[in-house]
Amino acid sequence: SGKSTLFNALCGIRQATANYPGVTVEKKSGRIALDHIPALITDLPGIYSNDPRSPDEAIALKVLDGSVADTAKPDAMLFVIDASQLSRALPLFAALAGKRIPMAVALTMTDVLAVEQIELDIPLLEKELGVPVLSVCAHRKDEVDQLRHRLAALVKSDRFRMPQLHDQAL
């Protein structure tokens, strides 16, 4: 999905790396300023379902549940979805929505869809998922800067939202 690429683009060289206690899963965090609002972003290992199949997935889900020592439950979540694999990500979105963490979605790989002349109705997707949906290409500095400004606006307006799923969305 380009999750780590986006993390690195957002945080630049301000990334700190550590290991979660008791496991060999790397924890990457970076401090950024969202229009002068300090934020700590943690790049969790990729997960594909709410039923972990690896230690990496298990630790990521435990962090989201707030059950990892010395790691606070996140205040908000930016769920990164590969736009070209949207249907595969929706069941995970539904599972993560149950964790009751305010959320926004970052759609990556939209450039792949553009090449294939596929358009996503982002306002409709926002309506159906009940959270802000932001499109970004992590390799384009201007789009990452725009994402950073949009995230700041979400934080300032408290628009990171609890997902409001509609049955027809999935």
Side-chain angles (χ1 to χ4, degrees):
S1 67
K3 175 182 62 64
S4 294
T5 300
L6 182 57
F7 169 81
N8 287 331
L10 284 169
C11 296
I13 61 170
R14 293 171 280 198
Q15 170 182 306
T17 302
N19 285 327
Y20 282 103
V23 295
T24 57
V25 177
E26 194 172 76
K27 175 183 176 182
K28 296 178 184 173
S29 297
R31 294 194 181 279
I32 67 170
L34 298 173
D35 288 349
H36 307 290
I37 299 170
L40 176 68
I41 299 177
T42 301
D43 181 18
L44 294 175
I47 53 179
Y48 302 95
S49 76
N50 205 32
D51 181 25
R53 301 180 199 277
S54 71
D56 291 11
E57 286 184 284
I59 196 68
L61 291 167
K62 286 180 181 179
V63 168
L64 294 175
D65 288 336
S67 61
V68 174
D70 300 325
T71 302
K73 183 175 179 172
D75 294 321
M77 179 185 338
L78 181 62
F79 181 44
V80 180
I81 297 176
D82 176 342
S84 68
Q85 302 291 321
L86 187 58
S87 63
R88 289 179 56 197
L90 291 177
L92 178 57
F93 176 87
L96 294 178
K99 302 223 178 267
R100 307 297 299 155
I101 300 171
M103 185 186 316
V105 168
L107 286 177
T108 61
M109 310 295 183
T110 52
D111 51 338
V112 172
L113 293 182
V115 167
E116 296 176 12
Q117 298 181 349
I118 299 172
E119 288 187 39
L120 284 178
D121 186 340
I122 292 178
L124 178 61
L125 190 58
E126 275 190 348
K127 179 182 173 194
E128 293 299 322
L129 297 180
V131 300
V133 176
L134 315 167
S135 176
V136 63
C137 179
H139 297 290
R140 295 186 183 141
K141 184 183 179 325
D142 60 324
E143 288 192 25
V144 173
D145 289 343
Q146 182 181 22
L147 175 65
R148 195 177 289 112
H149 290 296
R150 293 185 70 198
L151 289 174
L154 290 175
V155 169
K156 287 178 181 176
S157 69
D158 201 27
R159 278 203 60 231
F160 271 89
R161 289 188 234 145
M162 295 290 188
Q164 301 296 317
L165 293 177
H166 305 286
D167 292 335
Q168 65 271 23
L170 303 176

